[in-house]
Amino acid sequence: MPTDRPLLPHSALHATHAGVWIASPDGDVRSLGRGEAISAAAETPTIVLNAPMTGQRLGYPELSGLDLLELFAFVHPARFCVPTPLGMARALGMAPETLPDEDAAFLLLEMAQHLLKTLEWEGWEERYGAHASAHALFRLRWPWAGLVTDRIDAPEKPERWLFSRLPEWEEEAPRPAPLTRTVDEDTALERLDALAGQGAERREGQQAYVRAASHAFDPPRGEGRPQMLLAEAGTGIGKTLGYLAPASLWASEAQGTVWISTYTKALQRQLDRETERVFPDAAERREKVVIRKGRENYLCLLNLEDALQGGFAGRPAILAQLVARWAMYSKDGDMVGGDLPGWLPTLFRRAGSTALTDRRGECVYAGCPHYRKCFIERAARASEHADIVIANHALVMILAERRRGEEGALRRIVFDEGHHLFDAADSTFAAALTGQEAIELRRWIIGPEGRHRGRRRGLAARLMDVASYDDAGGEAIQAAADAAEMLPGGDWLRRIAEGIPMGPVEALLAAVRGTVYARADAQDAGYGLETEAAELDGTLIAAAGDAAAALERILRPLATLRQRLEAVLTDAPDWLDSQARARIEGAINGLTFRNQMLAAWISLLARMGGPADPDFVDWLAVDRIEGREYDIGLHRHWLDPTKPLAETVIKPADGLIVTSATLKGSEEWDAAEMRAGAQHLDFAPSLFEAKSPFDYGANSEVLIVTDIKRGDIAALAGAYAKLIEAAGGGTLGLFTAIARLKAVHARIADRLAREGLPLYSQHVDPIDTGTLIDIFRDDPHASLLGTDALRDGVDVPGESLRLAVMEGVPWPRPTVLHAARKLAQGGNAYVDRVVRARLAQAFGRLIRRKDDVGMFVLLSAATPSRLLTAFPEATPVSRVPLDEAVARVRTRLSSVTEMRQEEPQPTESE
């Protein structure tokens, strides 16, 4: 479809750290200062791409205008687009080979014209529903609405609304227990060859991996003794296909489900793509492969309906309309890591999208008019009959614990990114009695209070029919609501800060706050504070006792209500149809979770003032951001969270694979067994190791810079700037503190941009982390700064990531929990294991393909030599001053960049 010269009566504004450019409707482009740009944008509607980002570049965060990303989301819902001028141009099939900043403003005009002309094109694939949506947006005064409605003809026949157009899921009989089948090694290797395709390289390490993985699908050794394989497969072995080959065979022959669990959403997306090899037919793949996430990831149709019917106003209402457009074309309704553009919610700043998901457990299940079309319920039911379910560690642990010994138990599990299993278990099996958690429980029981808007309902409203049918159940609901009045309510933080807490739980939180501040060090100012739950004074101990008694008064009626609901299901009264049954089953699940949470809180409070429990670590905390308090509470973690992991996940299973490229790293196998919980079993797991086939000695190098003084922000910023310039971009900068990240970014972003090297950053740029990675991957001249979230799970192959720079050794924060584990697991040897794992994960971002070349720079002269075993054996390591490091980076990476400009990039995944 040809693109004519722009005819829109609007200018387009493009701002970077290097400058600001504006293109007029007649095509003239000129640079201008920030002040003039702000004035121009304020006077007339101006076309921009990513208004929050543009506003930040101008120093005017409230900038608004005709945002091209919003128009793209309307015209092409559920379609991927990197949110940069070049990225959008590629998505529209009109990308130039290069795009200097001064040409980007005019490109914005061309892309706006292209998108608007698409609305008139007969072949526009996303036309359905656009007419009604455009007029709804017009009534909301969406800036693009006038230009859009003029170009969309009314449909010949009335179009069905989203809620009537979505297909309904159907009830199916429970899947029988899987058959007892084994996976033959040779057959698995044949499946591997088929998945890899003709002409694929035969890799010995991958074939050995398939042989080992096949036996994880043998029958279990006995009760509580599953087949368990710990497998370290270095980058480039091809472990994904290595376990998909036997897993898909077993699932087909045994008629069972294999759960593949990841730690990051990036790997979930990669796995989804890889299963196209297993099930090339799209229809079959939809039936056989399901991505399963927690409820809070999916669009709630009832929340959306409320938003569309007046629950949202202003900009949030526009977001709701665009989300509705997306929902009509979405694959599975996944708003977090699915096909909803990650950048879309960030365009609406404070509006966000969390109110459109089920984040607070307010689901009414079968009581919802959209229950039969619910994305969440569809995914849950599809996963029960799928061959492959792709999920995350936390969800797999929760479901395994909930279904233990029941139908649908998780029998075959592959934990990819297994080096994170310990951390995932640590979060999943922890308990936290905090103000935020307590107020959510109050709202779940009582319902909305005061001026609270929305459709949230308390127990009484959700279970009205049960209360009228069963007197004991109705009395339990009322007793729980009365007892919940003792939980924190609105403005609880203000009351505690002013010394006027209301109720026993607020009094406890006030005592916690006082204790934490009394014990905190002065240097902690501005950040979260914590202290051990030991040697507590009488005031806090007494408050803990009163709070425990209040929580018990809530727990007792909730436990009774759960029993009454189970009795109603057993008695099956006349009004108990399938929808009512599903609603009561959902309520039972919600009650089970909250009863367990209350029991954990009461157990935690019972420990206050008594002897320490050797299995747990307890502490008090005040959570703050830049000095502003946002939560207060008591925390309990398992000293070794793999104990509950072994009992609730591993032992009930029939077979498990725990795999990673850095499962044991430079340690012995006992370290991997400790991370995976194998030390709590009465048998030894099978072990497998395959080294990476990559030539790290030839293709990588580690440089430790010796002349950057610790704490010298100016020197640190200068080092980052020089290294990024020497590499020509393509740099991932990793920080251990957000404050230093922000300080370095502020000093070097403009300087690098003037050299044509854009710099993006977590905690600075108003956009989600996943989108920042997409932008970084898309532009080989771009660099990205970040913290822990970027140290692992980032797959950016090729020249887009050729240099990784760490500001210092990633020592663990000296928290109460860390101190307890250090004491229990070998002192400094434990700390070194943690640090080596972090270094290995960070280094692992560099070499993702066999022809990748990368350098790793550590800006810390005080790096102990004992930590250097974190890097692959053949990797050269040198201690050099900054100038030499810069020279080496320039010499090695500039030649690689020039060479690759003429070569196509490999696409073969790990």
Side-chain angles (χ1 to χ4, degrees), residues 2-21:
T3 301
D4 299 330
R5 187 175 182 81
L7 300 175
L8 297 174
H10 301 288
S11 297
L13 185 70
H14 176 62
T16 73
H17 284 289
V20 185
W21 294 266

Side-chain angles (χ1 to χ4, degrees), residues 74-75 77 124-133 152 155 157-162 164-166 324-325 328-329:
F74 177 88
V75 177
W124 179 31
E125 296 178 355
E126 298 98 336
R127 178 178 297 279
Y128 194 96
H131 182 268
S133 180
I152 303 178
K157 295 187 295 184
E159 295 175 332
R160 288 185 295 164
W161 200 24
L162 166 70
S164 59
R165 187 169 186 259
L166 289 174
R325 276 281 290 157
M328 192 169 290
Y329 295 91

